[in-house]
Amino acid sequence: MPALAPFRQPYYGTSVFRIGDQLAEIIAVGEAMQRALALLEGGDVVAIPTETVYGLAGDATNGVAVARIFEAKGRPRFNPLIAHVADLAMADRIALFDPLSSRLAAAFWPGPLTLVLPQRAENGIHPLVTAGLGTIALRMPRGFGGELIARLGRPLAAPSANSSGRISATTAQAVAADLGGRIRLVVDGGATPVGVESTIVKVEDGKLRLLRPGGIAAGEIEAVAGAKMLRGATGIEAPGMLASHYAPGASMRLNAERVGVDEALLAFGPSRAEGWRQAVALKNLSEVGDLREAAANLFSYMQALDRSGAASIAVEPVPFDGLGEAINDRLARAAAPRDKIA
Ligand code: TXA
Ligand code: MG
C-alpha cells in the first residue's frame, strides 16, 4: 500500500481526500444520492455503506462498470461478485428460487445473507459479475444501498471496498485511505453496524451448504431451515474464500496465551493474556465478550493495530459460537501465509 498522509475526517462530513493529484469525494449518506446515481448511470463505480462492510458498487448490467470494480480493487483474478438487489421482484428476475432459498430470503432480507442461486436466462447481468458461472450470488442490503438500487432500477455488483488481499473497510475513511486514488466517490454512512461480510449459503439437492460464515450466525439460518448446514466449499464455489484474503501488513498469531516482545494485542473479553502490559498497542474487540460487538470492531481494530507498526499481532482466543465462526474465519485468513494471497 502506498504511504498516505495522516487522515482525519469528521465522522459524517462531506470532504475531499487527496492522494497526489487524485480525488475521492466523501459525501454523507443524506446528501449523496444524486451524485451516486449520476456516477452509476455513467458506468462508474461508487463506494457505499452496507450493514456489513463498505461495498465498491457498479451497475451489474454494465460490463465496463464491472471491469472498473476489478480494476479499482486490483483483483488478480475475476472472482464472481455478489449482485445486490432492491427487492424480491428484482431478485426473481435474475435467479430461480427453490422453496428453501425463498424461505431464507423472506426471513433474512434485507440483511447480511447472500444466496447462491441458478441464474435465469437473459437476466441482463453481465457475465463478468459471475465469472461465467451458471449461478449467481444475490443479496438485498439494508439502508442506503437498497434505496440506491431501487432508484437506479438495476442491480449493483459490489465486492467489499478494499484492495485485493486487504482487510474489508468498515468506515468511509478506511475506504478512502485504501482506494481514494482510484475512485471518485465514497458515500459516508458511518461505521457499518455488523462489521463482517454477509453469510453465503447455497441450496444443493434440497440441502443447505455454508459457503462463507458471516454476519448472520449459522445457527440462526439453521433454525429457519429446520436442518443443519453442510460445511466447506466444493470446487470453485467460493474462490474468494482462498487463503489470506484479509491480510494486514503485520503477521498475526492466533489463540495467543501470552504477548511476546514488540507485539500488539488484539484482545477479547474481560481477562487478558499473560504479559499484556508490554503490548506495543492494545485493542479489545469486546470488553464484555459480546460477539456482535467484536464482529463490528474486527476490521477497524486489525487496521489500527497494523498502523501501530508492530511486526506481529497476538490475538486472544475468540469462541466459535454464533458470530464467532465468522470472526475466527477472518482471523484465520488474516494469519494465513502471505505466499498464498489470492
Ligand atoms: O457483506 C458482503 O457480502 C459484502 C458487501 C459489500 O455486500 N460483499 C462481499 O463481496 O463480501 P466479495 O466480492 O468480497 O465476496 C463475494 C464472495 C466471494 O467469496 C465469491 O467467491 C462468492 O461471494 N461468490 C460470488 N458468486 C458466487 C457464486 N456464483 N458461487 C459461489 N460463490 C460465489
Ligand atoms: Mg472482500
Side-chain angles (χ1 to χ4, degrees):
M1 193 162 82
L4 297 172
F7 186 67
R8 300 226 178 282
Q9 294 289 347
Y11 198 53
Y12 271 88
T14 293
S15 53
V16 167
F17 181 74
R18 275 167 199 278
I19 299 176
D21 52 5
Q22 304 218 46
L23 306 175
E25 258 186 295
I26 299 180
I27 303 184
V29 263
E31 298 154 24
M33 186 60 76
Q34 292 313 320
R35 178 89 176 108
L37 274 175
L39 286 167
L40 293 169
E41 299 272 11
D44 209 337
V45 299
V46 176
I48 60 166
T50 81
E51 71 277 47
T52 55
V53 298
Y54 277 73
L56 184 59
D59 179 348
T61 68
N62 179 335
V64 172
V66 180
R68 282 194 173 127
I69 294 174
F70 288 110
E71 188 181 35
K73 282 184 67 88
R75 280 218 171 165
R77 278 204 306 263
F78 291 155
N79 289 334
L81 306 176
I82 297 171
H84 296 68
V85 296
D87 48 43
L88 284 173
M90 190 182 273
D92 261 327
R93 288 195 293 272
I94 297 171
L96 294 158
F97 280 75
D98 59 277
L100 178 51
S101 294
S102 291
R103 201 135 51 86
L104 295 177
F108 296 109
W109 281 1
L113 175 72
T114 295
L115 295 167
V116 173
L117 300 161
Q119 293 199 64
R120 281 190 192 278
E122 322 249 322
N123 61 8
I125 299 289
H126 194 276
L128 199 48
V129 173
T130 57
L133 295 173
T135 53
I136 186 161
L138 285 187
R139 166 163 125 74
M140 188 191 299
R142 282 188 208 132
F144 179 83
E147 199 185 328
L148 180 64
I149 297 160
R151 298 247 195 136
L152 185 69
R154 292 193 289 276
L156 287 177
S160 49
N162 52 276
S163 306
S164 183
R166 296 241 138 229
I167 295 168
S168 296
T170 55
T171 63
Q173 288 69 32
V175 177
D178 183 2
L179 302 177
R182 288 177 251 156
I183 62 177
R184 286 172 202 272
L185 175 63
V186 183
V187 179
D188 189 355
T192 57
V194 175
V196 291
E197 300 84 348
S198 59
T199 304
I200 305 180
V201 302
K202 183 186 183 192
V203 175
E204 297 167 341
D205 306 323
K207 296 219 175 74
L208 198 55
R209 182 178 292 276
L210 178 66
L211 297 181
R212 176 176 77 179
I216 296 179
E220 281 184 63
I221 297 168
E222 289 171 338
V224 171
K228 286 261 171 212
M229 285 196 268
L230 305 170
R231 305 292 173 108
T234 53
I236 181 188
E237 290 300 3
M241 299 292 297
L242 284 175
S244 77
H245 195 157
Y246 298 91
S251 65
M252 306 263 298
R253 200 164 63 76
L254 304 189
N255 299 313
E257 308 212 312
R258 63 182 326 283
V259 179
V261 179
D262 291 334
E263 271 192 319
L265 177 63
L266 186 61
F268 177 83
S271 58
R272 290 291 63 74
E274 212 180 299
W276 66 272
R277 282 194 179 79
Q278 67 172 352
V280 298
L282 182 140
K283 285 280 188 190
N284 194 332
L285 290 169
S286 171
E287 300 270 358
V288 295
D290 179 304
L291 289 164
R292 288 213 165 131
E293 184 185 12
N297 288 329
L298 180 66
F299 291 127
S300 59
Y301 284 9
M302 281 205 277
Q303 282 165 339
L305 294 180
D306 206 19
R307 281 197 299 270
S308 77
S312 165
I313 301 170
V315 185
E316 291 181 357
V318 175
F320 274 81
D321 42 279
L323 290 190
E325 182 173 9
I327 295 170
N328 277 291
D329 173 80
R330 304 309 187 268
L331 286 170
R333 282 168 215 291
R338 298 306 141 83
D339 59 344
K340 289 209 205 127
I341 286 184

